[in-house]
Amino acid sequence: MLHWTPLIDLAIRVAATQHQAATRKVNNVPYITHPFAVASILADFTNDETTIVSALLHDTIEDTSYDPADLEANFGQQVLAIVQGVTEDKSIGDWQARKDDYFQALAQAPRASKMIAVADRMHNLYSLMDEYQKHGDDMWDLFGSSPARQIWATEELLTIVGGAIDVGLTDQLTQTMTAAKEMFGLVD
């Protein structure tokens, strides 16, 4: 269960401010729903304040102008390290090269980064499945990717996090991936 603390409140306010103009790619839902969903998923597996705060802030460095120095000043070095552990290098234009770089870095990242990466992937798959039901294959153009690449990224993530995190969390992602494979017509 997600418990309110002053630091979580600050993280909510910072995340909401940083993502205030952003929307999700397909459905134009306010982007802030995504960090909240990731934190909510994780709250079923941990009550660690640092992990929840990091989940709320996980896309601030990657997708906003929020300065890492400000993140560290407001939330500490540990939160900064966790957030950096799940931050993709957007200067790498090629999808596959960017994911390869991300997974190499994630393998060395803190355990909390791995947990956030799994919850992030889970929510992204939920969102993809929801949008796929509404828009079909047309939606893939917005992601510079394909259903097969999304499944590859999920399988790669599961391999990297291995036994480093709660098996319940990885089991939940595996179940979500199986449902996505079925929906996208990628059943083995």
Side-chain angles (χ1 to χ4, degrees):
M1 171 175 240
L2 185 61
H3 295 284
W4 180 91
T5 69
L7 195 62
I8 288 173
D9 188 66
L10 178 60
I12 290 168
R13 287 185 282 124
V14 168
T17 300
Q18 291 301 313
H19 294 295
Q20 69 184 0
T23 58
R24 299 285 278 171
K25 287 180 183 172
V26 176
N27 58 15
N28 289 323
V29 168
Y31 191 85
I32 192 61
T33 60
H34 173 65
F36 281 126
V38 171
S40 178
I41 290 166
L42 286 177
D44 286 340
F45 297 94
T46 184
N47 62 0
D48 178 64
E49 179 185 49
T50 300
T51 301
I52 300 301
V53 165
S54 300
L56 289 164
L57 299 168
H58 81 274
D59 278 336
T60 55
I61 295 175
E62 182 176 319
D63 292 337
T64 77
S65 61
Y66 195 48
D67 189 319
D70 291 336
L71 192 150
E72 183 176 16
N74 289 321
F75 300 99
Q77 206 292 317
Q78 187 178 11
V79 170
L80 176 62
I82 294 166
V83 171
Q84 287 176 324
V86 292
T87 299
E88 287 187 13
D89 183 349
K90 294 282 183 129
S91 71
I92 303 172
D94 177 71
W95 186 91
Q96 186 67 51
R98 187 172 60 251
K99 292 298 180 191
D100 289 342
D101 178 76
Y102 171 73
F103 289 133
Q104 281 184 322
L106 184 63
Q108 306 305 314
R111 179 178 181 274
S113 297
K114 293 174 174 72
M115 292 177 69
I116 292 167
V118 169
D120 178 50
R121 172 104 314 244
M122 192 181 317
H123 184 250
N124 285 336
L125 281 177
Y126 286 142
S127 297
L128 288 170
M129 289 188 294
D130 184 54
E131 293 306 317
Y132 187 80
Q133 288 180 324
K134 296 174 189 168
H135 303 285
D137 288 328
D138 292 341
M139 67 169 233
W140 295 111
D141 294 336
L142 293 170
F143 294 94
S145 159
S146 67
R149 284 176 140 186
Q150 293 294 326
I151 298 303
W152 169 85
T154 306
E155 290 170 337
E156 188 72 11
L157 175 59
L158 286 165
T159 299
I160 287 165
V161 300
I165 65 170
D166 186 305
V167 70
L169 186 56
T170 55
D171 284 352
Q172 197 169 342
L173 177 57
T174 299
Q175 291 169 7
T176 304
M177 178 183 66
T178 300
K181 286 169 95 171
E182 290 174 13
M183 181 177 286
F184 304 151
L186 299 172
V187 178
D188 298 330

